[in-house]
Amino acid sequence: MMLPEDKKEELQKQILEGEAPREQAINVMFALQKCYGYLSDEAVAEAAHMLGMTTLEIEELATFYDFLYREPVGTYVIHVCDSSICWMYGEETVMDYLVKKLAITPGETTADGLFTILPVCCVGYCDHAPVMLINGKPYGPLTPEYIDRILEDIRVRHPECEEVK
Ligand code: FES
């Protein structure tokens, strides 16, 4: 898959007009990720080419951003806050619960391609702790029942995917 021409032109215009190359690099990487599903090697090369940077520079920059993925991810990326306030609630952390429930470890994707779980530092919703984001949307305060309900709602929208055991 390639970045659509019109999107490419729009980004190129932004790059030429932009004052902060780093910021432009982030925009370009997010646009490519949206197109490819993740920041594949091909996408990194394309970003480097567009920005006049090296692939190494792009890769280094990408590692700073929790929402840029260098590996394929599921349709729903669950970012679980693992900062202290979110840890203080309940004996079992949200991450522990999700690991058990989805039978994957952090960084992995369910076999049906639906969910990826990733730890993330405080996402700024501490007053709703414990919190997780699903594709950037915050949910909290979480309980096991609430998590079950959220996952179930998503599953209902994807009947082609198997039930989570
Ligand atoms: S500590 Fe979890 S959202 Fe702030």
Side-chain angles (χ1 to χ4, degrees), residues 80-99:
V80 182
C81 176
D82 70 353
S83 295
S84 57
I85 294 173
C86 281
W87 268 68
M88 279 161 33
Y89 294 80
E91 303 141 24
E92 191 180 35
T93 65
V94 170
M95 184 60 95
D96 289 341
Y97 187 73
L98 283 170
V99 162

Side-chain angles (χ1 to χ4, degrees), residues 141-158:
L142 296 169
T143 59
E145 296 73 30
Y146 187 23
I147 295 173
D148 287 352
R149 215 161 59 233
I150 295 164
L151 297 182
E152 190 50 42
D153 283 351
I154 292 176
R155 290 248 161 235
V156 170
R157 278 181 261 148
H158 295 272

Side-chain angles (χ1 to χ4, degrees), residues 80-87 120-131:
V80 182
C81 176
D82 70 353
S83 295
S84 57
I85 294 173
C86 281
W87 268 68
V120 72
C121 290
C122 176
V123 287
Y125 294 98
C126 320
D127 50 339
H128 296 289
V131 169

Side-chain angles (χ1 to χ4, degrees), residues 15 21 24-26 28-29 46-53 58 61:
I15 294 166
Q24 296 310 317
I26 300 307
V28 169
M29 284 192 279
E46 204 170 337
H49 179 73
M50 288 176 76
L51 292 153
M53 295 167 73
I58 296 291
L61 206 47

